[in-house]
Amino acid sequence: HISGYTFITPAAPNFEQGLLNLKNPILRDVRVRQALEYGLDRQTMVADVWHNRAVLGASDETATAFSFDPSVKPYPFDPVRAAKLLDAAGWKLGSDGLRHKNGKALSLRWSTTARSTYRAQDELIALQDYQNLGIDLRIVNYDGSSYFGSVLPGGNFDIGEWENGLVYDPDTTAASFFGGNAFPPKGSNWGHYNNPRYNALIAQEEAATDPVVRKAIFAKMQAIMNQDVPSLWLYNPPTPAEYSNALHNYAQIGRAHV
């Protein structure tokens, strides 16, 4: 803390996610994706990494957005349920402590920006939790320019952690990052998620002008994001900042993905 300044951690329209690359056959099974969400102690990330200043995530929508639906709840940490989902998906625990299917071990890469203290802590939590589930998790990090310039757009990842934001309208994120017509190089749907029902809802909300109608459509979209888990919804981080006590009427604005 700097004398003469006020330290704040306001909520921002941003969400930390573990984007799932659905070009990987392992991750195309929704049961595996749900298991990865149930099996990850995201609450510990909120409590220990962010000292309870972050909020557990349930979808790509945040409480700061007009479209936010509080009835869409975050998955609880439930490793027993995660294990049952993996069993149902055919990934059976072997004598080596890893899960196998058709002679192949369940192995995934977790990637993010290098030299990020809080993301390194997130990765340690993921390593332990997924090891307990019988998942071989490998950490492969990159410098920021490579990560956003070629790794994510090029699909060279399995689970890609990064922070996205809603900017001025939630449609920007929905259409650009999860719309079925936004695969690279046309857009930023780096996980190659494609759900016809979700795509139809994007078209509906884009055509609607009544905020009440749009909010109802976005609620349906959030439910799909929560059920389909095209990305691990980790948490909604705050935006720590300090401002001079001589400054009046300070207002917080969002930030781009980092």
Side-chain angles (χ1 to χ4, degrees), residues 235-257:
Y235 48 79
N236 307 138
T239 302
E242 287 193 314
Y243 66 89
S244 169
N245 294 338
L247 178 65
H248 300 285
N249 300 319
Y250 175 84
Q252 174 70 18
I253 60 174
R255 54 179 171 170
H257 60 256

Side-chain angles (χ1 to χ4, degrees), residues 85-144:
L85 283 165
L86 291 174
D87 285 338
W91 291 99
K92 305 298 184 179
L93 200 59
S95 58
D96 60 354
L98 296 179
R99 291 182 179 273
H100 298 264
K101 181 178 181 180
N102 299 326
K104 181 180 180 180
L106 180 46
S107 180
L108 297 167
R109 294 167 295 169
W110 184 297
S111 301
T112 190
T113 52
R115 295 180 295 279
S116 169
T117 303
Y118 67 90
R119 286 177 179 150
Q121 295 178 69
D122 289 348
E123 289 176 326
L124 289 175
I125 293 169
L127 274 170
Q128 184 63 61
D129 291 343
Y130 288 160
Q131 179 183 345
N132 291 341
L133 279 174
I135 299 171
D136 173 36
L137 189 69
R138 292 171 290 129
I139 302 300
V140 185
N141 293 335
Y142 303 87
D143 66 86

Side-chain angles (χ1 to χ4, degrees), residues 169-190:
D169 192 286
D171 167 72
T172 303
T173 299
S176 299
F177 292 95
F178 297 105
N181 63 349
F183 294 160
K186 295 181 179 179
S188 300
N189 187 346
W190 299 325

Side-chain angles (χ1 to χ4, degrees), residues 16-249:
E16 187 82 4
Q17 64 178 334
L19 184 65
L20 301 178
N21 186 355
L22 303 193
K23 293 178 73 176
N24 183 335
I26 295 174
L27 297 174
R28 288 180 195 153
D29 191 325
V30 68
R31 294 170 296 187
V32 173
R33 302 198 301 270
Q34 290 176 344
L36 292 173
E37 185 83 333
Y38 279 119
L40 183 61
D41 192 356
R42 291 142 41 246
Q43 185 58 54
T44 290
M45 295 179 179
V46 168
D48 292 357
V49 179
W50 285 94
H51 306 287
N52 289 315
R53 289 190 173 98
V55 177
L56 206 60
S59 74
D60 61 327
E61 300 291 329
T62 68
T64 58
F66 84 89
S67 56
F68 179 70
D69 182 2
S71 70
V72 178
K73 302 297 185 182
Y75 284 30
F77 177 49
D78 191 341
V80 173
R81 187 168 185 175
K84 290 180 178 178
L85 283 165
L86 291 174
D87 285 338
W91 291 99
K92 305 298 184 179
L93 200 59
S95 58
D96 60 354
L98 296 179
R99 291 182 179 273
H100 298 264
K101 181 178 181 180
N102 299 326
K104 181 180 180 180
L106 180 46
S107 180
L108 297 167
R109 294 167 295 169
W110 184 297
S111 301
T112 190
T113 52
R115 295 180 295 279
S116 169
T117 303
Y118 67 90
R119 286 177 179 150
Q121 295 178 69
D122 289 348
E123 289 176 326
L124 289 175
I125 293 169
L127 274 170
Q128 184 63 61
D129 291 343
Y130 288 160
Q131 179 183 345
N132 291 341
L133 279 174
I135 299 171
D136 173 36
L137 189 69
R138 292 171 290 129
I139 302 300
V140 185
N141 293 335
Y142 303 87
D143 66 86
S145 59
S146 298
Y147 188 57
F148 291 107
S150 60
V151 175
L152 289 174
N156 186 27
F157 70 99
D158 296 322
I159 304 171
E161 182 180 355
W162 59 288
E163 182 181 336
N164 203 344
L166 300 182
V167 196
Y168 300 109
D169 192 286
D171 167 72
T172 303
T173 299
S176 299
F177 292 95
F178 297 105
N181 63 349
F183 294 160
K186 295 181 179 179
S188 300
N189 187 346
W190 299 325
H192 287 257
Y193 175 70
N194 189 10
N195 182 326
R197 287 192 304 129
Y198 190 78
N199 296 337
L201 289 170
I202 290 176
Q204 290 176 30
E205 62 86 5
E206 287 180 336
T209 56
D210 186 336
V212 175
V213 173
R214 295 188 77 221
K215 181 177 174 65
I217 297 171
F218 277 120
K220 296 178 182 179
M221 294 168 68
Q222 286 173 66
I224 291 175
M225 288 282 99
N226 183 267
Q227 174 70 24
D228 269 4
V229 199
S231 182
L232 301 180
W233 311 117
L234 303 180
Y235 48 79
N236 307 138
T239 302
E242 287 193 314
Y243 66 89
S244 169
N245 294 338
L247 178 65
H248 300 285
N249 300 319

